[in-house]
Amino acid sequence: HHQQDEFSRGDVTMDTTHNSSLMMQRNIKENSEALKDFLEGLNDWEREMKVVDEKLCNQAREDCHSPETCHPVRCKKTLEISSGKETTGTMPSNNRKTKDEGKNIEKPKKISTCDYAAWEKFDVDTALASSSEEEEEIERQSDKKHMETKYPKTNKKERALALKEAGNKFYSSGQLDNAIAKYTQGMALDPTNAVLPANRAMAYIKLKKYTAAEADCNKCLKLDAGYIKAYLRRATSRVNLGKKELAIKDYQKVLELEPWNKEAKKELENLQCAADVKCERTEMSVKYDCKIKAKQESTVSKQPLMNESQKQETNNVMHQNQKDNVCGNTTNLDNDKKKQGGKKLQIVEVNSKECNSVNVLDPDGVLPIEKPPHLRSLKPLKKIPVVDIATKASILECPLLLEVEGTTVKKHPVPSVAEHRVPSMAEKDTSDKKEYDAVGTLQEDPGRATLQSQPENKSQASVSLPSAPRTSHQFTEDWNKLSHQVSQAIKYLKIIQPKFFTSADLDADTLISVISTLRTEEISPLQAAQYILAFSQSSGFSVNIMFLNESQKKVIYDVISKCEEEESYNTQIRNLKNLLDNES
Amino acid sequence: MEKPQVLVYIEKSLNYSAFDVKWIPRSAKLVSIGSHPQGTGALQVYEMSEGDLKLLHDVERPKALKCGTFGASTLEERHLAIGDFEGKMEIIDLQSPQLPVYSVKAHSEIINTIDGIAGLDIGKGAPEIATGSRDGLVKVWDSRQKDRPVVTIEPKDGEQKRDCWSVAFGNSHSTEDRTLCAGFDNGDVKMFDLRSMAVKWESNLSNGVCSLEFDRKDIVMNKLLTTTLESKFYIHDLQTFHKDKGFARLMDKGHKSTVWCGKHLPQDREIFVTTGGNGSIMLWKYSYPVARSKTLEDGSEVGVVGQVIPLQNATLTSQPITSFDWSPDKMGLSVCSGLDQTIRVVIVTKLNTV
């Protein structure tokens, strides 16, 4: 909404009302006509401007902006002003408050034309020399300014280069993510620059993102098919992705373009000899938890690597690839050690898209088997070891199991542990199934396993006791792990102070299970009394006992009766008994 | 009557305060610069299409933005130079606004005003940007020189720093000549000659100077329009300089409130618009006197001002209109923004017959 006031300063005044109304009408008509014209023109104008705009934008993009006559940047000057005064007439020549950074070339005094005496003394050569010096200085200064003036990096290509430099700086300082960001920005600005994707690929390689690195190398090579580094980097990525053949092709390509390229030669040799090298790791294959018959293993090891037809039986292939990777990796690792500051990083990629490549860090990894029933092994199933994270105390107490050949981690032979565990095993249900109990402890039957080839036993035996818990939650967890092994549980309980339970917050089941262990003989009546009293003092106890069923209450009664032998806590035990009686 | 009409063609409500609106030269687009309620900067590009403003880009900058200009960039690039509330001046390419082309911490306090010269085929010489800030300094920047201004204009030691509210370039008729005018909150107007690096003229208008504009940047300086608080504005005739009296000027009143903005029509330098704190827009026309200078008794020349007549007065809103920009491509098309978080595309008709 808007109002229009019509000013009429010194303008036509209406004579008669009739005239004025006519005039008004005419004005209104004129106004609306003018507006209509304007608006019509406006739509056309909009369309025109869109075209012009786009044209200009395209021009900006395509233009290799050569600064035609870019005026030099002003040299810095500081100008001081005073406020509030109404000083007029400050003519520049009188009031120069400038700080000239500029040239203070002394001009020699001009000799007047009629001063013949002076002219006689005038030395032409020196004057010439000095004047040419002056000119040079002026030129130098302007050149300096010119060089200092960084022409506006509005050109996208230049900006892309600047981003590349920034990215390189980040790369060399190790900030790879930032480097990648800069390269990406540069690539957005200038998609024709082949260096940017190549550099980004290198950063990805360092970050072990081999698929991304390979993609970047592909991009780069599309832009510049002769870019050696891109081939090398792609080969590295491919090796780490398991694409050995393609990697070999890349190295060969490099050698085509640069026959003297040492890196390519070396890597190519490695890749090719990896096939030939007799795997010391053939034994490793046995350790894999696969169903492989002995004769299959031997045949597999003899077959050459590059035979694609082997990919019939997935089992074999996986096996073979495991070996390949393992072999390849060992050789490469060795090479890396020999190399000094080698460019190539032989880092095993943990997550690979290709299912063929196996996590080589765990050569003893368990793999699924897919074989028809009549081909499966007749041996009984071996139990799978589950690695249990042990505490320091437990490590010290019970050293780890068996030495596994070929792995770099040293393990102590633990026959004693095996012996120790036999009695506890005897209690347990020794089923032949591939079971491990919920606790995740090692349930290897020592009688069955052969010591020299026990990949499962590489994990620690969880004969380790957890340390004294600090919170009731920790206690509950540890207890649940141990509750099946009564002796362990008892030992664990013993290391905990009874006082702990006064502030412990346990649920009913855990409570009952703890109290039931108190029943065993290994805990003396005194200790049992201490524990049970501690429990009774805990906050949740009264609530818990309200919800106990008969058998659980019996457990408590048993413990109480055991404690009644103990004299020192008599009154308290009796109180507890009364409490229980009241509840039931 | 042949009076031009002032009509609102498009009214667009925003969810942030727009402090400045500018047409993007050679296009039907405009850019609106302001700050979101949470203190981040808002930069939006709209395009006029069939009676409405279509939002093309919406960029959020880290800090609230105060002012912007296209004045120093070429027509192909049309980079926008913006000043923000923290004193940072950036030049950004609207095609990729996240990456500024140039960025510098220009001032320690908010940049109140910014102006550019020698871009867009207006003005000769090196393209430069002037910024004026609450810290009392006026700095001139060249996008080719990083981090340091090419000229700094600061109060003398011991003098009180007055907020600079407005800057304007002018007199850029040759590659060397250039004049920069700065207006301060105490009414000071100072004119600096950048060729000789000296203060050419100072004056005090007794009310804070909200806006300054030369009628044309690329001719020998002709007129200077200054708008101030308390509904006054001045026109100085810059053709004749008298060493004691300075420049001749006329004063007029309008809007009955602060005159926020005064802008000359790009297609006709005698027509200008003033916007007021009462939400109104007034269209004025200046006419020259018969003789633009007269000789005094002591032989010195002093300038003579003409007169200014109001052509139209239109109230668009109840809140102050703080920013106004004529479209350089279509005569009569303009955009304005105010404290009511609205931008309006305003049409002024019949300007060619005025």
Side-chain angles (χ1 to χ4, degrees), chain A residues 73-99:
Chain A
V73 182
R74 241 180 256 274
C75 46
K76 182 186 175 178
K77 298 213 169 142
T78 310
L79 194 48
E80 284 176 338
I81 51 172
S82 52
S83 67
K85 285 192 278 183
E86 185 161 341
T87 57
T88 57
T90 54
M91 292 308 286
S93 52
N94 296 341
N95 209 353
R96 200 181 281 262
K97 300 178 202 155
T98 59
K99 298 176 195 159

PDB file of all heavy atoms in Angstrom, chain A residues 73-99:
ATOM      1  N   VAL A  73      49.020  -1.269  -8.458  1.00  0.00           N
ATOM      2  CA  VAL A  73      48.438  -0.999  -7.157  1.00  0.00           C
ATOM      3  C   VAL A  73      49.110   0.232  -6.585  1.00  0.00           C
ATOM      4  O   VAL A  73      50.299   0.438  -6.747  1.00  0.00           O
ATOM      5  CB  VAL A  73      48.671  -2.196  -6.225  1.00  0.00           C
ATOM      6  CG1 VAL A  73      48.038  -1.969  -4.880  1.00  0.00           C
ATOM      7  CG2 VAL A  73      48.146  -3.454  -6.867  1.00  0.00           C
ATOM      8  N   ARG A  74      48.332   1.005  -5.913  1.00  0.00           N
ATOM      9  CA  ARG A  74      48.889   2.193  -5.260  1.00  0.00           C
ATOM     10  C   ARG A  74      49.888   1.765  -4.198  1.00  0.00           C
ATOM     11  O   ARG A  74      49.713   0.763  -3.526  1.00  0.00           O
ATOM     12  CB  ARG A  74      47.752   2.902  -4.526  1.00  0.00           C
ATOM     13  CG  ARG A  74      47.472   4.285  -4.977  1.00  0.00           C
ATOM     14  CD  ARG A  74      46.330   4.813  -4.139  1.00  0.00           C
ATOM     15  NE  ARG A  74      45.112   4.815  -4.900  1.00  0.00           N
ATOM     16  CZ  ARG A  74      44.765   5.809  -5.697  1.00  0.00           C
ATOM     17  NH1 ARG A  74      45.558   6.842  -5.846  1.00  0.00           N
ATOM     18  NH2 ARG A  74      43.636   5.767  -6.348  1.00  0.00           N
ATOM     19  N   CYS A  75      50.920   2.575  -4.022  1.00  0.00           N
ATOM     20  CA  CYS A  75      51.826   2.278  -2.908  1.00  0.00           C
ATOM     21  C   CYS A  75      51.214   2.829  -1.639  1.00  0.00           C
ATOM     22  O   CYS A  75      50.562   3.847  -1.647  1.00  0.00           O
ATOM     23  CB  CYS A  75      53.215   2.846  -3.140  1.00  0.00           C
ATOM     24  SG  CYS A  75      53.233   4.538  -3.730  1.00  0.00           S
ATOM     25  N   LYS A  76      51.427   2.129  -0.586  1.00  0.00           N
ATOM     26  CA  LYS A  76      50.666   2.398   0.640  1.00  0.00           C
ATOM     27  C   LYS A  76      51.010   3.756   1.216  1.00  0.00           C
ATOM     28  O   LYS A  76      52.143   4.114   1.356  1.00  0.00           O
ATOM     29  CB  LYS A  76      50.942   1.320   1.677  1.00  0.00           C
ATOM     30  CG  LYS A  76      50.109   1.572   2.912  1.00  0.00           C
ATOM     31  CD  LYS A  76      50.416   0.662   4.035  1.00  0.00           C
ATOM     32  CE  LYS A  76      49.592   1.118   5.247  1.00  0.00           C
ATOM     33  NZ  LYS A  76      49.769   0.290   6.377  1.00  0.00           N
ATOM     34  N   LYS A  77      49.956   4.463   1.565  1.00  0.00           N
ATOM     35  CA  LYS A  77      50.192   5.756   2.219  1.00  0.00           C
ATOM     36  C   LYS A  77      49.200   5.895   3.360  1.00  0.00           C
ATOM     37  O   LYS A  77      48.091   5.405   3.304  1.00  0.00           O
ATOM     38  CB  LYS A  77      49.955   6.891   1.217  1.00  0.00           C
ATOM     39  CG  LYS A  77      50.922   6.774   0.071  1.00  0.00           C
ATOM     40  CD  LYS A  77      51.333   8.075  -0.499  1.00  0.00           C
ATOM     41  CE  LYS A  77      52.509   7.783  -1.439  1.00  0.00           C
ATOM     42  NZ  LYS A  77      52.478   8.585  -2.602  1.00  0.00           N
ATOM     43  N   THR A  78      49.673   6.545   4.372  1.00  0.00           N
ATOM     44  CA  THR A  78      48.777   6.799   5.493  1.00  0.00           C
ATOM     45  C   THR A  78      48.501   8.284   5.554  1.00  0.00           C
ATOM     46  O   THR A  78      49.396   9.107   5.451  1.00  0.00           O
ATOM     47  CB  THR A  78      49.441   6.364   6.806  1.00  0.00           C
ATOM     48  OG1 THR A  78      49.933   5.059   6.623  1.00  0.00           O
ATOM     49  CG2 THR A  78      48.440   6.380   7.929  1.00  0.00           C
ATOM     50  N   LEU A  79      47.254   8.578   5.717  1.00  0.00           N
ATOM     51  CA  LEU A  79      46.840   9.972   5.677  1.00  0.00           C
ATOM     52  C   LEU A  79      46.204  10.278   7.008  1.00  0.00           C
ATOM     53  O   LEU A  79      45.337   9.552   7.469  1.00  0.00           O
ATOM     54  CB  LEU A  79      45.806  10.097   4.558  1.00  0.00           C
ATOM     55  CG  LEU A  79      45.416  11.453   4.040  1.00  0.00           C
ATOM     56  CD1 LEU A  79      46.607  12.296   3.749  1.00  0.00           C
ATOM     57  CD2 LEU A  79      44.611  11.269   2.785  1.00  0.00           C
ATOM     58  N   GLU A  80      46.662  11.350   7.638  1.00  0.00           N
ATOM     59  CA  GLU A  80      46.087  11.670   8.945  1.00  0.00           C
ATOM     60  C   GLU A  80      45.099  12.813   8.819  1.00  0.00           C
ATOM     61  O   GLU A  80      45.330  13.775   8.108  1.00  0.00           O
ATOM     62  CB  GLU A  80      47.204  12.059   9.918  1.00  0.00           C
ATOM     63  CG  GLU A  80      47.969  10.835  10.393  1.00  0.00           C
ATOM     64  CD  GLU A  80      49.116  11.242  11.276  1.00  0.00           C
ATOM     65  OE1 GLU A  80      49.568  12.401  11.179  1.00  0.00           O
ATOM     66  OE2 GLU A  80      49.575  10.419  12.068  1.00  0.00           O
ATOM     67  N   ILE A  81      44.021  12.666   9.544  1.00  0.00           N
ATOM     68  CA  ILE A  81      43.020  13.724   9.461  1.00  0.00           C
ATOM     69  C   ILE A  81      42.673  14.152  10.870  1.00  0.00           C
ATOM     70  O   ILE A  81      42.880  13.430  11.834  1.00  0.00           O
ATOM     71  CB  ILE A  81      41.742  13.230   8.779  1.00  0.00           C
ATOM     72  CG1 ILE A  81      41.247  11.929   9.435  1.00  0.00           C
ATOM     73  CG2 ILE A  81      41.949  13.016   7.307  1.00  0.00           C
ATOM     74  CD1 ILE A  81      39.915  11.501   8.957  1.00  0.00           C
ATOM     75  N   SER A  82      42.138  15.336  10.965  1.00  0.00           N
ATOM     76  CA  SER A  82      41.641  15.781  12.256  1.00  0.00           C
ATOM     77  C   SER A  82      40.149  15.969  12.136  1.00  0.00           C
ATOM     78  O   SER A  82      39.635  16.308  11.067  1.00  0.00           O
ATOM     79  CB  SER A  82      42.313  17.084  12.651  1.00  0.00           C
ATOM     80  OG  SER A  82      42.195  18.007  11.600  1.00  0.00           O
ATOM     81  N   SER A  83      39.464  15.719  13.228  1.00  0.00           N
ATOM     82  CA  SER A  83      38.013  15.755  13.134  1.00  0.00           C
ATOM     83  C   SER A  83      37.489  17.039  13.736  1.00  0.00           C
ATOM     84  O   SER A  83      38.126  17.657  14.573  1.00  0.00           O
ATOM     85  CB  SER A  83      37.422  14.569  13.890  1.00  0.00           C
ATOM     86  OG  SER A  83      37.673  14.717  15.251  1.00  0.00           O
ATOM     87  N   GLY A  84      36.334  17.400  13.313  1.00  0.00           N
ATOM     88  CA  GLY A  84      35.594  18.481  13.962  1.00  0.00           C
ATOM     89  C   GLY A  84      35.944  19.857  13.474  1.00  0.00           C
ATOM     90  O   GLY A  84      35.206  20.794  13.671  1.00  0.00           O
ATOM     91  N   LYS A  85      37.060  20.001  12.833  1.00  0.00           N
ATOM     92  CA  LYS A  85      37.412  21.367  12.421  1.00  0.00           C
ATOM     93  C   LYS A  85      36.818  21.654  11.063  1.00  0.00           C
ATOM     94  O   LYS A  85      36.744  20.791  10.192  1.00  0.00           O
ATOM     95  CB  LYS A  85      38.930  21.513  12.320  1.00  0.00           C
ATOM     96  CG  LYS A  85      39.593  21.590  13.674  1.00  0.00           C
ATOM     97  CD  LYS A  85      41.023  22.020  13.530  1.00  0.00           C
ATOM     98  CE  LYS A  85      41.880  20.825  13.180  1.00  0.00           C
ATOM     99  NZ  LYS A  85      43.300  21.191  13.092  1.00  0.00           N
ATOM    100  N   GLU A  86      36.400  22.851  10.876  1.00  0.00           N
ATOM    101  CA  GLU A  86      35.946  23.220   9.545  1.00  0.00           C
ATOM    102  C   GLU A  86      37.042  23.979   8.838  1.00  0.00           C
ATOM    103  O   GLU A  86      37.005  25.204   8.726  1.00  0.00           O
ATOM    104  CB  GLU A  86      34.675  24.068   9.630  1.00  0.00           C
ATOM    105  CG  GLU A  86      34.151  24.333   8.233  1.00  0.00           C
ATOM    106  CD  GLU A  86      32.711  24.739   8.204  1.00  0.00           C
ATOM    107  OE1 GLU A  86      31.989  24.495   9.196  1.00  0.00           O
ATOM    108  OE2 GLU A  86      32.315  25.327   7.197  1.00  0.00           O
ATOM    109  N   THR A  87      38.018  23.257   8.462  1.00  0.00           N
ATOM    110  CA  THR A  87      39.124  23.902   7.749  1.00  0.00           C
ATOM    111  C   THR A  87      38.851  23.781   6.276  1.00  0.00           C
ATOM    112  O   THR A  87      38.608  22.707   5.748  1.00  0.00           O
ATOM    113  CB  THR A  87      40.444  23.206   8.047  1.00  0.00           C
ATOM    114  OG1 THR A  87      40.316  21.834   7.689  1.00  0.00           O
ATOM    115  CG2 THR A  87      40.773  23.304   9.508  1.00  0.00           C
ATOM    116  N   THR A  88      38.832  24.877   5.658  1.00  0.00           N
ATOM    117  CA  THR A  88      38.632  24.846   4.214  1.00  0.00           C
ATOM    118  C   THR A  88      39.901  25.288   3.537  1.00  0.00           C
ATOM    119  O   THR A  88      40.815  25.809   4.156  1.00  0.00           O
ATOM    120  CB  THR A  88      37.502  25.804   3.798  1.00  0.00           C
ATOM    121  OG1 THR A  88      37.838  27.107   4.253  1.00  0.00           O
ATOM    122  CG2 THR A  88      36.195  25.360   4.433  1.00  0.00           C
ATOM    123  N   GLY A  89      39.870  25.105   2.300  1.00  0.00           N
ATOM    124  CA  GLY A  89      40.986  25.621   1.509  1.00  0.00           C
ATOM    125  C   GLY A  89      42.301  24.966   1.824  1.00  0.00           C
ATOM    126  O   GLY A  89      43.326  25.620   1.887  1.00  0.00           O
ATOM    127  N   THR A  90      42.279  23.725   2.063  1.00  0.00           N
ATOM    128  CA  THR A  90      43.558  23.052   2.288  1.00  0.00           C
ATOM    129  C   THR A  90      44.034  22.550   0.947  1.00  0.00           C
ATOM    130  O   THR A  90      43.707  21.463   0.499  1.00  0.00           O
ATOM    131  CB  THR A  90      43.380  21.863   3.233  1.00  0.00           C
ATOM    132  OG1 THR A  90      42.360  21.024   2.697  1.00  0.00           O
ATOM    133  CG2 THR A  90      42.980  22.339   4.598  1.00  0.00           C
ATOM    134  N   MET A  91      44.737  23.360   0.304  1.00  0.00           N
ATOM    135  CA  MET A  91      45.211  22.990  -1.021  1.00  0.00           C
ATOM    136  C   MET A  91      46.298  21.947  -0.901  1.00  0.00           C
ATOM    137  O   MET A  91      47.096  21.994   0.023  1.00  0.00           O
ATOM    138  CB  MET A  91      45.722  24.229  -1.765  1.00  0.00           C
ATOM    139  CG  MET A  91      44.614  25.190  -2.102  1.00  0.00           C
ATOM    140  SD  MET A  91      43.267  24.383  -2.960  1.00  0.00           S
ATOM    141  CE  MET A  91      43.981  24.148  -4.551  1.00  0.00           C
ATOM    142  N   PRO A  92      46.311  21.041  -1.784  1.00  0.00           N
ATOM    143  CA  PRO A  92      47.232  19.904  -1.660  1.00  0.00           C
ATOM    144  C   PRO A  92      48.682  20.308  -1.491  1.00  0.00           C
ATOM    145  O   PRO A  92      49.403  19.732  -0.693  1.00  0.00           O
ATOM    146  CB  PRO A  92      47.063  19.156  -2.990  1.00  0.00           C
ATOM    147  CG  PRO A  92      45.749  19.577  -3.514  1.00  0.00           C
ATOM    148  CD  PRO A  92      45.451  20.939  -2.952  1.00  0.00           C
ATOM    149  N   SER A  93      49.095  21.279  -2.210  1.00  0.00           N
ATOM    150  CA  SER A  93      50.517  21.579  -2.156  1.00  0.00           C
ATOM    151  C   SER A  93      50.912  22.110  -0.786  1.00  0.00           C
ATOM    152  O   SER A  93      51.999  21.823  -0.294  1.00  0.00           O
ATOM    153  CB  SER A  93      50.869  22.622  -3.230  1.00  0.00           C
ATOM    154  OG  SER A  93      49.995  23.727  -3.099  1.00  0.00           O
ATOM    155  N   ASN A  94      50.006  22.848  -0.137  1.00  0.00           N
ATOM    156  CA  ASN A  94      50.391  23.422   1.148  1.00  0.00           C
ATOM    157  C   ASN A  94      50.356  22.410   2.266  1.00  0.00           C
ATOM    158  O   ASN A  94      51.154  22.466   3.188  1.00  0.00           O
ATOM    159  CB  ASN A  94      49.425  24.569   1.530  1.00  0.00           C
ATOM    160  CG  ASN A  94      49.505  25.711   0.550  1.00  0.00           C
ATOM    161  OD1 ASN A  94      50.483  25.819  -0.171  1.00  0.00           O
ATOM    162  ND2 ASN A  94      48.495  26.541   0.517  1.00  0.00           N
ATOM    163  N   ASN A  95      49.442  21.521   2.186  1.00  0.00           N
ATOM    164  CA  ASN A  95      49.162  20.707   3.377  1.00  0.00           C
ATOM    165  C   ASN A  95      49.472  19.233   3.175  1.00  0.00           C
ATOM    166  O   ASN A  95      48.640  18.371   3.395  1.00  0.00           O
ATOM    167  CB  ASN A  95      47.673  20.866   3.732  1.00  0.00           C
ATOM    168  CG  ASN A  95      47.482  20.699   5.229  1.00  0.00           C
ATOM    169  OD1 ASN A  95      48.415  20.354   5.922  1.00  0.00           O
ATOM    170  ND2 ASN A  95      46.292  20.936   5.694  1.00  0.00           N
ATOM    171  N   ARG A  96      50.627  18.981   2.745  1.00  0.00           N
ATOM    172  CA  ARG A  96      50.971  17.586   2.456  1.00  0.00           C
ATOM    173  C   ARG A  96      51.391  16.881   3.735  1.00  0.00           C
ATOM    174  O   ARG A  96      52.465  17.106   4.265  1.00  0.00           O
ATOM    175  CB  ARG A  96      52.122  17.559   1.450  1.00  0.00           C
ATOM    176  CG  ARG A  96      52.246  16.239   0.731  1.00  0.00           C
ATOM    177  CD  ARG A  96      53.423  16.296  -0.228  1.00  0.00           C
ATOM    178  NE  ARG A  96      53.078  17.000  -1.441  1.00  0.00           N
ATOM    179  CZ  ARG A  96      52.728  16.393  -2.563  1.00  0.00           C
ATOM    180  NH1 ARG A  96      52.683  15.077  -2.600  1.00  0.00           N
ATOM    181  NH2 ARG A  96      52.431  17.072  -3.630  1.00  0.00           N
ATOM    182  N   LYS A  97      50.534  16.061   4.243  1.00  0.00           N
ATOM    183  CA  LYS A  97      50.908  15.326   5.453  1.00  0.00           C
ATOM    184  C   LYS A  97      51.193  13.875   5.113  1.00  0.00           C
ATOM    185  O   LYS A  97      50.779  12.960   5.795  1.00  0.00           O
ATOM    186  CB  LYS A  97      49.740  15.336   6.454  1.00  0.00           C
ATOM    187  CG  LYS A  97      49.315  16.667   6.899  1.00  0.00           C
ATOM    188  CD  LYS A  97      48.134  16.530   7.841  1.00  0.00           C
ATOM    189  CE  LYS A  97      47.348  17.824   7.888  1.00  0.00           C
ATOM    190  NZ  LYS A  97      45.965  17.622   8.261  1.00  0.00           N
ATOM    191  N   THR A  98      51.798  13.688   4.007  1.00  0.00           N
ATOM    192  CA  THR A  98      51.951  12.302   3.570  1.00  0.00           C
ATOM    193  C   THR A  98      53.262  11.711   4.018  1.00  0.00           C
ATOM    194  O   THR A  98      54.230  12.412   4.224  1.00  0.00           O
ATOM    195  CB  THR A  98      51.913  12.222   2.045  1.00  0.00           C
ATOM    196  OG1 THR A  98      52.966  13.034   1.554  1.00  0.00           O
ATOM    197  CG2 THR A  98      50.596  12.732   1.535  1.00  0.00           C
ATOM    198  N   LYS A  99      53.296  10.435   4.130  1.00  0.00           N
ATOM    199  CA  LYS A  99      54.555   9.737   4.365  1.00  0.00           C
ATOM    200  C   LYS A  99      54.875   9.013   3.093  1.00  0.00           C
ATOM    201  O   LYS A  99      54.287   7.994   2.771  1.00  0.00           O
ATOM    202  CB  LYS A  99      54.375   8.689   5.486  1.00  0.00           C
ATOM    203  CG  LYS A  99      54.011   9.248   6.795  1.00  0.00           C
ATOM    204  CD  LYS A  99      53.771   8.114   7.755  1.00  0.00           C
ATOM    205  CE  LYS A  99      53.059   8.616   8.990  1.00  0.00           C
ATOM    206  NZ  LYS A  99      52.399   7.545   9.694  1.00  0.00           N
TER     207      LYS A  99
END
